[in-house]
Amino acid sequence: MRIETNRMVVRDFTPEDAADLHEIFGDAETMKNCEPAYDFVKTKTFLRDFCIGRHGALAAAHKENGKVVGYILFNEIETGVYEIGWIFNRRYWRKGYAYEACRAVMDYAFSDAGAHKIFAEAIDGVKSVGLMKKLGMRLEGVQREQTDDNFGNYVDLYLYGILRREWQKI
């Protein structure tokens, strides 16, 4: 897959993306609301087995220099129902890259992949939920103390989603 936006190219991952992906997954602050930071070996294994082997995620690369600045989870969970998620390099936060890339993936899913629904989940009730809302998603539920964070504390899990008919109106 390859999707181009004004500043990004969203594409399949390649083995050459390991160092850029590790800049994302190896940063404890970036991974704070996901799981503990990865070492380089774990990043390469995840890249090989999940991102490439299972086509479980897409690379969000900066159009000017090709640097992978974001990881976008994009999976069809059941027919017509896709999960989306994102982790972006901290140096690219608050510049609209995650919105631009995720919006392009969602547009592709609804326009070309026959998606009926796209959903996302997060424990970060501020930044991640803010992006979910900006992407047009609506709150579907909060699972109270559903999971634990990187520090062993039980935290709420926020579930957001958007249906095709809702996407057609935005």
Side-chain angles (χ1 to χ4, degrees):
M1 174 188 310
R2 182 179 173 91
I3 305 167
E4 289 195 31
T5 69
N6 288 339
R7 302 178 297 166
M8 309 289 296
V9 174
V10 180
R11 58 168 175 76
D12 294 325
F13 274 101
T14 68
E16 293 73 33
D17 296 325
D20 287 346
L21 186 61
H22 186 64
E23 278 187 43
I24 299 167
F25 283 15
D27 180 58
E29 177 64 21
T30 298
M31 298 295 284
K32 179 174 73 175
N33 291 309
C34 303
E35 57 185 287
Y38 287 20
D39 63 25
F40 191 62
V41 171
K42 185 172 181 178
T43 300
K44 284 177 42 176
T45 300
F46 182 79
L47 174 64
R48 182 193 68 222
D49 295 348
F50 183 76
C51 299
I52 297 171
R54 289 186 40 203
H55 300 285
L58 299 166
H62 199 282
K63 203 178 222 179
E64 284 183 13
N65 59 21
K67 180 176 184 56
V68 174
V69 300
Y71 159 91
I72 301 175
L73 171 72
F74 183 63
N75 275 313
E76 188 172 23
I77 302 301
E78 55 187 85
T79 304
V81 179
Y82 289 81
E83 179 179 17
I84 192 169
W86 50 85
I87 307 172
F88 273 69
N89 185 313
R90 186 163 32 127
R91 288 180 284 168
Y92 294 84
W93 287 1
R94 310 219 36 91
K95 297 179 180 181
Y97 289 107
Y99 173 79
E100 185 175 325
C102 290
R103 177 62 196 224
V105 171
M106 290 172 66
D107 288 348
Y108 164 82
F110 285 122
S111 296
D112 300 322
H116 165 70
K117 177 182 181 175
I118 299 173
F119 74 94
E121 60 184 32
I123 64 171
D124 169 21
V126 179
K127 290 183 283 190
S128 294
V129 165
L131 182 53
M132 291 176 196
K133 289 177 179 178
K134 188 174 182 180
L135 289 166
M137 295 181 169
R138 295 177 27 197
L139 178 65
E140 294 189 342
V142 178
Q143 294 179 323
R144 298 177 307 128
E145 297 186 10
Q146 175 71 20
T147 190
D148 59 343
D149 64 14
N150 286 344
F151 309 102
N153 303 305
Y154 282 104
V155 293
D156 296 344
L157 184 65
Y158 299 90
L159 304 171
Y160 277 74
I162 185 169
L163 303 173
R164 172 192 293 277
R165 67 178 173 270
E166 295 165 339
W167 169 80
Q168 290 171 330
K169 294 177 185 176
I170 58 172

